Amino acid sequence: MKQLLQIRCWSCHDVFTMSAELNTDPPGANLVDVSVPCPYCAKPNRVTVSQEQVRTVTVHKGGAAVDLSQPDALREWVFDGQETAES
């Protein structure tokens, strides 16, 4: 299932939306681990979303479950892009 994610660029700090396929196999692996260019400044951003981050999101939302089968389940949250080796 693809998810829409909001990413804050490590370089220009603008927030952009991207679509990513969640990796659920093997269990415990990062849900998302990709490099994507910022559409504003073109700097590559490493985007990593872990199972722990999703659990943290669930706790902050008052214990409500995050239904990852919905394409907009994580869209409310902004994930920080990280500088990559090619930056």
Side-chain angles (χ1 to χ4, degrees):
M1 167 61 66
K2 286 201 175 220
Q3 283 290 326
L4 292 176
L5 303 174
Q6 291 193 82
I7 309 302
R8 179 177 292 108
C9 177
W10 67 268
S11 180
C12 70
H13 305 288
D14 282 335
V15 175
F16 61 93
T17 303
M18 65 170 280
S19 178
E21 188 71 37
L22 295 184
N23 176 25
T24 56
D25 192 36
N30 286 331
L31 296 173
V32 176
D33 192 2
V34 296
S35 180
V36 61
C38 173
Y40 302 109
C41 71
K43 296 283 187 181
N45 281 259
R46 177 130 198 154
V47 178
T48 305
V49 178
S50 69
Q51 292 280 358
E52 289 76 27
Q53 286 174 293
V54 173
R55 280 193 214 107
T56 300
V57 166
T58 302
V59 170
H60 287 302
K61 294 305 281 181
V66 175
D67 182 2
L68 295 177
S69 68
Q70 300 299 314
D72 60 351
L74 299 175
R75 188 163 179 167
E76 290 180 38
W77 297 279
V78 177
F79 297 93
D80 289 326
Q82 303 297 316
E83 188 172 3
T84 64
E86 65 253 18
S87 297

